[in-house]
Amino acid sequence: MPEGEATVQGYGDVDIVVSSRRPNRGRHPRRREPTRILRLYDVAFCENFAVNLVSLRQLKAQGFWWDTHPERDCIRQIRDNAIFCYLEDHLGQSIIERLPANLGKAAFLARRDRYSAQRPVNKAEADLWHLRLGHPGAEALEHLAKNSLGVDVTAPKTWECPHCAQAKMFKQISRYPRHPDVSAPGVRIGLDFHEFQRDSRTGVNTLLIITDRFSGMMWDYYLPNREAPTILDVLRHFLDGVKRQLRLRIRIIECDNEIASIQFKRVLEHRPYGIKIEPSAPNTQDQNGLAERSARYIKEKIRAMRLSSKLPEDLWTEITRAAIYCANRVPRRRHDWRSPYEVFYTAVAQMEGAVVRGRKPQLGHLRAYGCKAYAMTDIAQFKKKRLQRFLPKAWIGYLV
């Protein structure tokens, strides 16, 4: 071994007996010296080392500090500055504990164990440890004995806990995509209904969002109620509109059981529509992921636009129209940063035989939502009082 180096043969915990009485005071011959136990953790064992060393840095980490005043020379606790033990001056060194020169290894071990307060190893089967630790999982118990003290897990290590089955049960939702290979617009659409406070101007309180699965294009409708005749009138308006204007025939509707009743199927699954209705499982809105994600995205945009524009909540219909108008024109990652508007109308044009690279949306007319605008008055339009033709006015809807 090179000079000045020592081999560490192991690590362990050591108990030191320290004195709580100041040295050099008169001692009664029959009175027992008051002592305390100072336990040192992770002590390195180096055989044939000249002295035992205690790290002052480690003591500070455990909440102790060294008071080097000549009249005291003690170890104090940081939290209350109380004296924990006194040091002894020996051969010009401050000594925490002075051991006899004839103390052998066996005597030292017996002395250390006398002050040891370690608990014995607790042996128990896995099901009992499962109850002791508050019903952890099987994998946690497999690593318990290796990463804990005083633990011995005996066989068997498999068990069935009826309380865990009852307390940890959850609804398992099928996440299989319905038909991910949608290759054209209008093949699949999703419906999602959302309740709002009733608009005092128009009387509507329900938002219906229709989402095209291929492109993510959205259409918004505002309903005064969620009764079957009202919903059927809105769906007829949408289906007839996309058929006459875009020549699209909707084939499948995904929904949350709102239109899965016999009354809707009689209208939608027969002539002239012939649409297949695919409802999600009862009380399982998570399966209608397409419409749910679109609605969540729109609601976040509605809240942000209302807060930034400082408009009242009663104008939720106008804010929603603007939010969906903008959402259809914002680039999406899933479309290689093309907007739903471009993907939808480009595919529709190609289906009609047009040779187009991309029908990109025109955004040059947009202004910050909620900004100040001027509406031209009737007097100015008839060229009367031209010096007063502009009137500052808060406009409802998109600003002009």
Side-chain angles (χ1 to χ4, degrees), residues 17-37:
V17 182
V18 296
S19 175
S20 58
R21 180 190 294 273
R22 182 178 300 179
N24 301 326
R25 279 197 171 188
R27 300 180 181 179
H28 196 279
R30 296 183 180 179
R31 183 175 297 175
R32 187 175 180 181
E33 183 73 15
T35 59
R36 287 182 175 178
I37 300 300

Side-chain angles (χ1 to χ4, degrees), residues 183-383:
S183 58
V187 176
R188 281 180 171 268
I189 62 172
L191 306 184
D192 197 29
F193 294 84
H194 297 275
E195 298 288 342
F196 289 84
Q197 69 177 21
R198 188 170 297 277
D199 192 333
S200 59
R201 299 176 297 107
T202 59
V204 299
N205 66 338
T206 302
L207 168 65
L208 169 60
I209 299 180
I210 303 177
T211 308
D212 175 50
R213 182 157 192 171
F214 171 76
S215 61
M217 188 75 176
M218 291 177 286
W219 294 265
D220 54 310
Y221 289 90
Y222 303 90
L223 288 64
N225 54 65
R226 295 177 65 169
E227 298 179 358
T230 304
I231 298 177
L232 284 174
D233 289 342
V234 170
L235 291 179
R236 288 194 187 99
H237 178 272
F238 172 76
L239 296 174
D240 294 340
V242 296
K243 181 179 180 180
R244 291 171 181 166
Q245 297 180 12
L246 304 175
R247 299 180 185 179
L248 292 180
R249 178 177 173 270
I250 306 301
R251 300 179 185 178
I252 301 173
I253 295 180
E254 302 174 1
C255 59
D256 289 338
N257 286 280
E258 290 96 347
I259 62 171
S261 62
I262 300 298
Q263 185 176 0
F264 287 97
K265 291 183 178 181
R266 288 176 180 174
V267 176
L268 299 177
E269 293 186 351
H270 299 83
R271 291 185 178 181
Y273 301 111
I275 298 174
K276 179 182 178 181
I277 299 178
E278 288 188 358
S280 58
N283 302 321
T284 311
Q285 297 181 352
D286 304 72
Q287 289 183 338
N288 194 16
L290 167 68
E292 294 292 338
R293 288 191 297 271
S294 300
R296 181 180 62 186
Y297 170 66
I298 289 300
K299 283 187 174 181
E300 293 174 353
K301 188 176 286 292
I302 291 173
R303 288 193 294 267
M305 294 175 65
R306 185 173 68 85
L307 291 174
S308 65
S309 61
K310 299 180 181 179
L311 293 177
E313 192 174 358
D314 295 340
L315 297 179
W316 68 267
T317 55
E318 308 299 334
I319 300 174
T320 303
R321 287 192 181 96
I324 293 180
Y325 181 91
C326 294
N328 286 333
R329 290 156 176 80
V330 174
R332 305 282 182 87
R333 181 188 296 271
R334 57 172 291 203
H335 297 314
D336 196 17
W337 298 111
R338 294 183 299 165
S339 64
Y341 179 97
E342 179 181 357
V343 174
F344 180 82
Y345 284 104
T346 300
V348 170
Q350 292 175 350
M351 291 172 61
E352 295 178 353
V355 181
V356 293
R357 291 186 177 180
R359 295 186 178 271
K360 298 181 180 180
Q362 175 58 252
L363 304 180
H365 62 287
L366 292 182
R367 299 293 182 269
Y369 193 77
C371 66
K372 189 175 181 179
Y374 295 88
M376 183 173 287
T377 62
D378 295 338
I379 298 176
Q381 294 181 19
F382 288 109
K383 299 182 179 180

Side-chain angles (χ1 to χ4, degrees), residues 33-295:
E33 183 73 15
T35 59
R36 287 182 175 178
I37 300 300
L38 178 62
R39 175 161 295 175
L40 306 178
Y41 297 95
D42 298 329
V43 178
F45 174 66
C46 302
E47 193 173 5
N48 299 325
F49 207 74
V51 293
N52 298 325
L53 303 178
V54 178
S55 172
L56 181 59
R57 180 178 298 177
Q58 296 298 328
L59 287 178
K60 289 183 179 179
Q62 297 299 324
F64 298 95
W65 66 282
W66 183 10
D67 186 355
T68 59
H69 193 277
E71 296 183 0
R72 291 184 289 269
D73 196 16
C74 60
I75 300 296
R76 293 181 180 270
Q77 302 182 45
I78 296 178
R79 65 173 183 268
D80 55 4
N81 207 33
I83 297 177
F84 181 80
C85 67
Y86 288 93
L87 304 183
E88 180 183 355
D89 185 68
H90 181 68
L91 298 179
Q93 299 291 334
S94 296
I95 305 299
I96 295 182
E97 181 188 30
R98 183 168 57 168
L99 299 178
N102 58 353
L103 183 65
K105 182 182 295 186
F108 176 78
L109 294 176
R111 174 180 174 276
R112 181 195 61 182
D113 294 338
R114 183 178 59 188
Y115 299 104
S116 177
Q118 294 184 358
R119 295 182 179 272
V121 177
N122 196 336
K123 295 184 179 181
E125 295 184 357
D127 55 349
L128 184 55
W129 281 112
H130 176 71
L131 297 176
R132 289 174 175 174
L133 293 176
H135 302 263
E139 294 184 0
L141 287 183
E142 290 181 2
H143 300 84
L144 181 64
K146 182 179 178 181
N147 297 282
S148 304
L149 299 176
V151 176
D152 187 3
V153 182
T154 60
K157 295 186 178 181
T158 58
W159 70 95
E160 294 182 1
C161 180
H163 307 290
C164 283
Q166 184 177 0
K168 301 178 182 180
M169 63 181 178
F170 61 93
K171 180 168 60 175
Q172 188 171 1
I173 302 173
S174 175
R175 300 293 184 180
Y176 289 102
R178 302 191 181 188
H179 283 285
D181 53 344
V182 180
S183 58
V187 176
R188 281 180 171 268
I189 62 172
L191 306 184
D192 197 29
F193 294 84
H194 297 275
E195 298 288 342
F196 289 84
Q197 69 177 21
R198 188 170 297 277
D199 192 333
S200 59
R201 299 176 297 107
T202 59
V204 299
N205 66 338
T206 302
L207 168 65
L208 169 60
I209 299 180
I210 303 177
T211 308
D212 175 50
R213 182 157 192 171
F214 171 76
S215 61
M217 188 75 176
M218 291 177 286
W219 294 265
D220 54 310
Y221 289 90
Y222 303 90
L223 288 64
N225 54 65
R226 295 177 65 169
E227 298 179 358
T230 304
I231 298 177
L232 284 174
D233 289 342
V234 170
L235 291 179
R236 288 194 187 99
H237 178 272
F238 172 76
L239 296 174
D240 294 340
V242 296
K243 181 179 180 180
R244 291 171 181 166
Q245 297 180 12
L246 304 175
R247 299 180 185 179
L248 292 180
R249 178 177 173 270
I250 306 301
R251 300 179 185 178
I252 301 173
I253 295 180
E254 302 174 1
C255 59
D256 289 338
N257 286 280
E258 290 96 347
I259 62 171
S261 62
I262 300 298
Q263 185 176 0
F264 287 97
K265 291 183 178 181
R266 288 176 180 174
V267 176
L268 299 177
E269 293 186 351
H270 299 83
R271 291 185 178 181
Y273 301 111
I275 298 174
K276 179 182 178 181
I277 299 178
E278 288 188 358
S280 58
N283 302 321
T284 311
Q285 297 181 352
D286 304 72
Q287 289 183 338
N288 194 16
L290 167 68
E292 294 292 338
R293 288 191 297 271
S294 300

